[in-house]
């Protein structure tokens, strides 16, 4: 696509974008990324049958994309802050289209999982760049609240439409959904080159080569020896991605997911314990790497901010308690209640569609309820809805309706509050890092939640429901406590 390549090389020639155009393009790309994320929920039985995937390995068919997202979201956020949110967003959307199309041609569990990991990496660039672009287009106030609410609704809309599209197309061939989504991402990437304007702000370290050459000369006139030695080094380090951090985080998450997957066959076995210990050790190494890095994936000083903690932990428990469970619910409905893929998709849409509507309307709560307390309310409603599903996943479908509606309302509140808190809890120049940290926590939680739910289902679906409700109530308690603490700026 020569036009796209030209636009990526020379964004300054583009006309300034209207905020509404930025919102439309980023919302559409986010929706496609989430549709791609949720599509395997409906095709899981057909995909596993096509590849001959054993029950103990089915979690990897769902967890490829969350793994890629979780590992690279923070790297994508840092790259977007350093090299341009527009560039990272467009490259991510283009890569999402290409890798999703390739996934349709996979012939085994391994190749499909690798394609899904690549799709997760591309989605990481889309999500981190999109919230950064929105932070530029809507600097503050009610317009930002409305924009992040619409973006949150695009998350809910993508979650809702992905299984519906996959369920409908699976009547012909389950692979068709990935071809359609790949084409959609390519169309959005092409549209983005025309509608997204040039970068409007520079984060620290985002210097052009010309500026970098100029800076030492200016510094030498002010502080001859000292400044000229320091500035070029600073520029070179700020633009270098934190690959050691990404590697240790990826290994930690892969160890955790493998342990949870193996736990299905017994939690007290030696390999499970060793993998859990390895995950804990690698997480500690990740923290140490971030503490020593000159260009960390996440600025650890942000952890002193209660709002940032509420955003990150709220996203983690959203993944664990909400996304993890409902990623598996369509497959449970097909196996337990004997529903068709399309029938299970429509019930899934009742939950995710309710989340979409509530996320759009949640902006009306902005003046009355802080984002942290909105998370508390969302977790409480989600737990209530999940408890109402007890005993219903293997029965007649009308019994599912009240629980799905209440849980969907809770999910909508969470989806609206998380992006708002992600960008409000960090300095403007770190908006992409803030959104990256938020989404990383969400997808670490969702990957672990999927593996945990699948490991618990042999004991009966009600066991998974009770664990999910307990995790949601834990998230409610954490965000309630953090919402009461005054925010403080970290010392730099």
């Amino acid at each position: 696509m020569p036009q796209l390549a030209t636009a990526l090389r020379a964004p300054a020639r583009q006309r300034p974008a209207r905020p509404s155009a930025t919102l439309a393009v980023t919302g559409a790309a986010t929706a496609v990324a989430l549709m791609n994320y949720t599509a395997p929920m409906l095709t899981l039985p057909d995909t596993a049958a096509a590849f001959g995937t054993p029950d103990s390995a089915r979690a990897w068919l769902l967890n490829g994309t969350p793994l890629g997202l979780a590992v690279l979201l923070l790297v994508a956020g840092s790259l977007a802050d350093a090299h341009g949110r527009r560039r990272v967003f467009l490259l991510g959307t283009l890569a999402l289209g290409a890798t999703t199309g390739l996934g349709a041609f996979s012939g085994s569990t391994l190749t499909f999982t690798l394609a899904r990991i690549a799709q997760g990496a591309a989605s990481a660039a889309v999500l981190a760049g999109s919230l950064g672009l929105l932070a530029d287009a809507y600097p503050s106030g009610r317009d930002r609240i409305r924009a992040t609410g619409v973006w949150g609704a695009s998350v809910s809309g993508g979650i809702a439409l992905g299984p519906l599209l996959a369920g409908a197309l699976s009547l012909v061939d389950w692979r068709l959904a990935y071809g359609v989504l790949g084409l959609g991402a390519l169309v959005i990437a092409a549209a983005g080159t025309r509608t997204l304007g040039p970068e409007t702000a520079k984060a620290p370290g985002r210097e052009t080569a010309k500026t970098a050459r100029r800076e030492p000369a200016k510094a030498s006139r002010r502080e001859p020896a000292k400044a000229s030695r320091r500035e070029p080094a600073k520029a070179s380090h700020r633009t270098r991605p934190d690959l050691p951090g990404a590697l240790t985080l990826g290994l930690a998450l892969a160890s955790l997911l493998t342990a949870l997957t193996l736990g299905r066959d017994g939690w007290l076995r030696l390999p499970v314990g060793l993998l859990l210990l390895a995950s804990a050790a690698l997480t500690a190494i990740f923290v140490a790497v971030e503490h020593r890095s000159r260009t960390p994936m996440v600025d650890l000083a942000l952890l002193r901010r209660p709002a940032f903690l509420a955003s990150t932990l709220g996203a983690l428990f959203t993944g664990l308690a909400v996304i993890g469970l409902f990623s598996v619910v369509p497959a449970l409905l097909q196996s337990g209640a004997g529903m068709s893929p399309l029938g299970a998709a429509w019930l899934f849409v009742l939950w995710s569609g309710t989340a979409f509507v509530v996320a759009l309307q949640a902006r009306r709560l902005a003046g009355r309820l802080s984002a942290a307390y909105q998370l508390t309310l969302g977790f409480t409603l989600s737990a209530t809805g999940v408890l109402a599903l007890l005993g219903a996943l293997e029965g007649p479908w009308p019994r599912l309706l009240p629980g799905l509606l209440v849980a969907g309302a809770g999910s909508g509140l969470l989806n609206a509050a998380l992006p708002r808190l992600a960008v409000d809890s960090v300095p403007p120049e770190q908006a992409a890092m803030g959104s990256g940290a938020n989404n990383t926590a969400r997808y670490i939680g969702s990957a672990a939640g999927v593996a945990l739910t699948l490991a618990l289902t042999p004991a009966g679906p009600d066991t998974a429901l009770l664990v999910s409700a307990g995790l949601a109530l834990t998230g409610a308690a954490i965000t309630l406590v953090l919402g009461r603490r005054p925010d403080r700026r970290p010392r730099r």
Side-chain angles (χ1 to χ4, degrees), residues 48 51-59 61 109 264:
F51 297 148
T53 308
D55 290 345
S56 59
R58 287 191 175 194
L61 297 176
T109 301
R264 180 187 180 99

Side-chain angles (χ1 to χ4, degrees), residues 167-215:
L169 293 179
S170 68
L171 297 175
V172 180
D173 190 331
W174 64 267
R175 298 175 186 270
L176 283 177
Y178 301 101
V180 170
L181 290 171
L183 179 61
L186 294 176
V187 170
I188 294 169
T193 64
R194 292 179 173 273
T195 56
L196 295 177
E199 301 290 345
T200 58
K202 283 189 179 183
R206 274 176 48 194
E207 295 139 331
T208 62
K210 187 175 180 181
T211 305
R213 286 195 300 269
R214 247 187 230 152
E215 198 61 33

Side-chain angles (χ1 to χ4, degrees), residues 69-70 73 127-128 131 151 315 422 434-444:
L69 275 163
L73 263 170
L127 296 178
L131 270 180
W151 189 90
S435 68
N438 183 276
N439 283 302
T440 294
R442 186 194 300 233
Y443 294 112
I444 287 176

Side-chain angles (χ1 to χ4, degrees), residues 63-341:
N63 274 338
T65 294
L67 179 59
L69 275 163
V71 171
L72 290 178
L73 263 170
L74 285 170
V75 172
S78 298
L79 288 174
D81 284 335
H83 296 288
R85 296 157 186 178
R86 178 184 185 275
R87 180 179 290 110
V88 168
F89 171 80
L90 289 176
L91 285 172
T93 307
L94 177 63
L96 177 63
T99 55
T100 302
L102 289 174
F105 297 99
S106 299
S108 67
T109 301
L110 176 61
T111 55
F112 184 79
T113 300
L114 292 175
R116 295 290 293 170
I117 291 173
Q119 292 158 31
S123 298
V126 172
L127 296 178
S130 64
L131 270 180
L133 286 169
L134 287 184
D136 286 342
Y138 298 92
S140 62
R142 297 190 64 83
D143 285 342
R144 171 179 280 191
I145 293 172
R146 181 184 69 83
T148 54
V150 172
W151 189 90
S154 72
V155 172
S156 298
I159 291 172
L161 293 175
L164 191 60
L165 176 70
L169 293 179
S170 68
L171 297 175
V172 180
D173 190 331
W174 64 267
R175 298 175 186 270
L176 283 177
Y178 301 101
V180 170
L181 290 171
L183 179 61
L186 294 176
V187 170
I188 294 169
T193 64
R194 292 179 173 273
T195 56
L196 295 177
E199 301 290 345
T200 58
K202 283 189 179 183
R206 274 176 48 194
E207 295 139 331
T208 62
K210 187 175 180 181
T211 305
R213 286 195 300 269
R214 247 187 230 152
E215 198 61 33
K218 289 184 182 176
S220 63
R221 289 195 292 269
R222 294 191 303 266
E223 263 183 283
K226 190 170 157 185
S228 62
R229 285 194 303 267
R230 196 186 324 161
E231 287 299 325
K234 179 180 176 183
S236 66
H237 281 294
R238 289 288 302 192
T239 57
R240 188 177 303 162
D242 182 17
L243 296 181
L247 178 62
T248 53
L249 178 63
L251 291 174
L253 182 56
S255 299
L256 175 62
L257 295 182
T258 305
L260 293 175
T261 301
L262 294 177
R264 180 187 180 99
D265 299 323
W267 294 101
L268 299 180
R269 294 185 301 144
L270 181 62
V272 175
L274 290 177
L275 285 166
L276 290 174
L277 287 174
S279 179
L282 287 164
T283 301
I285 293 172
F286 169 72
V287 173
V289 167
E290 295 305 285
H291 183 72
R292 296 175 62 87
S293 175
R294 299 184 65 174
T295 56
M297 293 167 64
V298 60
D299 184 357
L300 296 181
L302 293 173
L303 295 175
R304 299 173 191 158
R305 296 187 171 200
F308 182 78
L309 276 177
S311 169
T312 305
L313 292 176
L316 178 68
F317 277 88
T318 295
L320 279 169
V322 180
I323 302 175
L325 172 69
F326 283 94
S327 295
V328 181
V329 161
L332 294 178
L333 291 175
Q334 292 177 66
S335 61
M339 290 186 180
S340 67

